[in-house]
Amino acid sequence: MVASRQPSATSVQRDAWVEVDLGALEANVRVVRSWLPDSVELMAVVKSDAYGHGAAAIAPVLVAAGARWLGVASVDEGLQLRHAGIRTPILILSPCPFWAMSAAVEAGLDITVTAMGQVRDLLAAAERLGKAARVHIKVDSGMHRLGVDPACTAEVARAICGSELLTLVGFFSHLARPGHAGTTAWQNDVFRTALQSVVSLGINPKIIHLASGESARRFPDTHYDLVRVGLYLYGLEPRAVSAVVTPVMSLRARIVQLKEIDAGESVGYDLTWTANRRCRIASIPVGYGDGVDRGLSNRMTGLLMGTQVNQVGLISMDQMLFDVTDVPQAGIGDVITLLGCESGLPAAPDAAAGRAINMAAWATALETITYELACRLRVRLPRVYTRHSATTVKSGNR
């Protein structure tokens, strides 16, 4: 750990950390809620450690801000939240392996079924425990990834409701192109037809849900009883800088070494970058082992004392280098911001203004989506939780 002259939140574990702005998170919940009528509930999707933001720490904040449900991908993610003391309804969005169903039922997690065989396995687990299981039927409305065939949904619903140990709580599906009006309308029609086949039997699921963030924002007829929102809560859109929500995550690291090199000298593995002048090179302790894609080598920038500085050389597992020649006052311990803005406030929407670096720029460079990049940063970087200030609210070693 090195000292710095800059006022900044910091980690006590490492000289590189992810900063999570809880104030921005709460503001984003309010934005999402503004798209919905009061009768529609919000499920905050916190799978993959809340897209790299730290699920156990931010789930209570999301719930306090207005999320009535939480969504996870697996039994272990749900159990981690239960072990953290979170009692909010939690839906496991993917099918559970039969050997984990007892643990899910015991913890009071809501369980998704996508086939009749899973209903039988879940009933067996509930009978072993003598405890009722909460079930959601997922319908394949056209994405063809997971879900009960629409023609079979009535049969599956009848099987669930035929046992006193299974409670049909929810009925849902997943949109393949949630921002596309035509595809969404087509899937919505398939979904409604499957739902009607269940309702016609006198079976009425308590919670109907279809929309994710983009469809919740654009298509009110997909709202039903609940919407499932992930990326928007974290201030991100898949490929673009969002104009409606504020990025929650920043990534920062302290300079641990400064070295001057002459024109013609090269740096890093394979010597991929060569100085064209006498340069001052800063090393920071973050690399692809922390989730910063090696494909960003020689293509990304950082912010240092109000100046945009270029990353140079190949990004290695634990280190990367920046050319800080144009910031002669920079010293050991000073902070380079790789994502977000320098002040510790949420990233400015206009990243082109140079005041902030948004994850969408990384996604564009790598021809991928921000979902993937945010999730990668959950690997080993400590999290520091703030609220629009340099004062640390909570720090955790991830």
Side-chain angles (χ1 to χ4, degrees), residues 221-243:
D221 61 335
T222 65
H223 287 170
Y224 292 96
D225 301 314
L226 175 147
V227 299
R228 308 181 304 267
V229 181
L231 203 63
Y232 275 106
L233 298 177
Y234 309 112
L236 301 171
E237 295 189 29
R239 294 178 177 85
V241 177
S242 180

Side-chain angles (χ1 to χ4, degrees), residues 288-355:
Y288 66 77
D290 299 293
V292 181
D293 197 292
R294 192 167 176 266
L296 291 169
S297 298
N298 295 305
R299 303 169 69 190
M300 62 181 287
T301 60
L303 296 173
L304 174 63
M305 297 181 171
T307 300
Q308 195 169 70
V309 292
N310 292 323
Q311 188 276 324
V312 295
L314 286 182
I315 296 170
S316 55
M317 184 180 292
D318 311 304
Q319 308 286 333
M320 69 175 71
L321 303 173
F322 281 84
D323 177 0
V324 298
T325 309
D326 295 330
V327 193
Q329 70 273 32
I332 301 294
D334 288 330
V335 176
I336 294 179
T337 295
L338 283 72
L339 286 172
C341 63
E342 285 199 277
S343 64
L345 296 175
D350 184 11
R355 293 183 293 130

Side-chain angles (χ1 to χ4, degrees), residues 125-166:
E127 288 174 340
R128 285 194 300 270
L129 291 170
K131 181 176 180 178
R134 293 166 53 90
V135 190
H136 295 237
I137 296 174
K138 182 171 186 178
V139 182
D140 179 3
S141 61
M143 188 169 172
H144 301 321
R145 186 181 64 173
L146 290 170
V148 177
D149 187 288
C152 300
T153 47
E155 178 187 4
V156 172
R158 187 186 293 113
I160 292 169
C161 294
S163 170
E164 294 182 356
L165 286 176
L166 299 181

